[in-house]
Amino acid sequence: MKSRVRHICSYLTPARVFADIGCDHGYMTKYMLDRGLCERAYISDISAKSLAKAETLLQEHIERGACIPVVADGLRGIPERCDLVLIAGLGGEEIVNILQDIPLPTRFVLQPMKNSEKVRRMLVSRGAAIEVDHTFSEGEARKKYYDLICGTNAGGDKYSELEFRYGRDNLNGKMPVPFLFQMEEEREKLIERLSRPALGDRSRASILEKLNETEEIIHDMQTTLRDRR
Ligand SMILES: C[S@@+](CC[C@H](N)C(=O)[O-])C[C@H]1O[C@@H](n2cnc3c(N)ncnc32)[C@H](O)[C@@H]1O
């Protein structure tokens, strides 16, 4: 199991009815069912071909009636309320589209591949309580970075502009290290872009603005980490 999948699984909590939306291979549902962490799991994918992979992996659980496969867009084909909904590996805009016209799930675990800010804004505007909001990484030499956002529908959370853009637990020091590496890589990329010839004034100004913000964030995080020692 890849470390991205393992990391997400570690945030899956016991549930009566679990749904894995955009399940593809179905590894996360297998984690839930093999450990008896849910009574029933729906595996859903918009692509029948993708769903077939999960159906093969979860055949035994399907045969005993604990796993129900559905070909559908988002939660549309799921006939009952789920108390834990996982949507991982999809774009943030797709996640927003899936959740925006239905009641927020009681508990959600979301791992957007991009546009995490849009997911945070949608959740907070709808009164979610966000309990986990951090960046994690996979791989050693060439790290890939992912965001994880988990919480419940009972909240009324408030977020600052920076928290919307960068993730709350990255900034408040709960989970600073992967994000710090990501910001340091971002700084290198911005410096490289600044050195390119024929850069227009407006592009230069916007890169410089982004670089300043990135450096401020790195500085604040390094201070937080130093103060902890
Ligand atoms: C990259 S895979 C992610 C698989 C798995 N959730 C993971 O995190 O490893 C994305 C899956 O989402 C499915 N998908 C995309 N849009 C969807 C939607 N609106 N509703 C359900 N499934 C969707 C795709 O068919 C694909 O199988």
Side-chain angles (χ1 to χ4, degrees), residues 36-82:
L37 290 173
C38 61
E39 273 177 30
R40 199 156 50 254
Y42 288 90
I43 44 170
S44 168
D45 204 291
I46 201 162
S47 148
K49 202 171 155 200
S50 293
L51 185 68
K53 292 183 239 170
E55 285 174 306
T56 304
L57 183 77
L58 294 160
Q59 195 183 345
E60 270 178 40
H61 293 296
I62 293 172
E63 280 167 8
R64 70 179 179 88
C67 181
I68 303 110
V70 182
V71 177
D73 183 354
L75 281 113
R76 280 201 186 129
I78 295 178
E80 63 180 314
R81 186 150 172 91
C82 303

Side-chain angles (χ1 to χ4, degrees), residues 11 83 143 148 176 185 217 224:
Y11 286 86
D83 44 345
K143 280 192 166 51
L148 186 72
E185 284 180 22
I217 290 172
T224 307

Side-chain angles (χ1 to χ4, degrees), residues 17-130:
V17 186
F18 168 68
D20 182 354
I21 307 298
C23 61
D24 194 23
H25 41 71
Y27 293 141
M28 278 89 123
T29 298
K30 184 166 165 54
Y31 172 92
M32 290 293 285
L33 286 167
D34 283 357
R35 287 160 183 75
L37 290 173
C38 61
E39 273 177 30
R40 199 156 50 254
Y42 288 90
I43 44 170
S44 168
D45 204 291
I46 201 162
S47 148
K49 202 171 155 200
S50 293
L51 185 68
K53 292 183 239 170
E55 285 174 306
T56 304
L57 183 77
L58 294 160
Q59 195 183 345
E60 270 178 40
H61 293 296
I62 293 172
E63 280 167 8
R64 70 179 179 88
C67 181
I68 303 110
V70 182
V71 177
D73 183 354
L75 281 113
R76 280 201 186 129
I78 295 178
E80 63 180 314
R81 186 150 172 91
C82 303
D83 44 345
L84 175 62
V85 172
L86 165 69
I87 314 178
L90 278 75
E93 287 183 351
E94 192 68 45
I95 294 176
V96 170
N97 286 340
I98 289 172
L99 293 177
Q100 71 188 356
D101 295 328
I102 56 169
L104 275 184
T106 313
R107 178 165 285 279
F108 52 82
V109 172
L110 309 175
Q111 187 264 297
M113 298 301 280
K114 55 184 179 175
N115 291 316
S116 302
E117 179 179 345
K118 291 185 179 172
V119 176
R120 294 185 188 105
R121 287 189 190 277
M122 180 272 295
L123 292 171
V124 169
S125 74
R126 297 190 61 199
I130 298 179

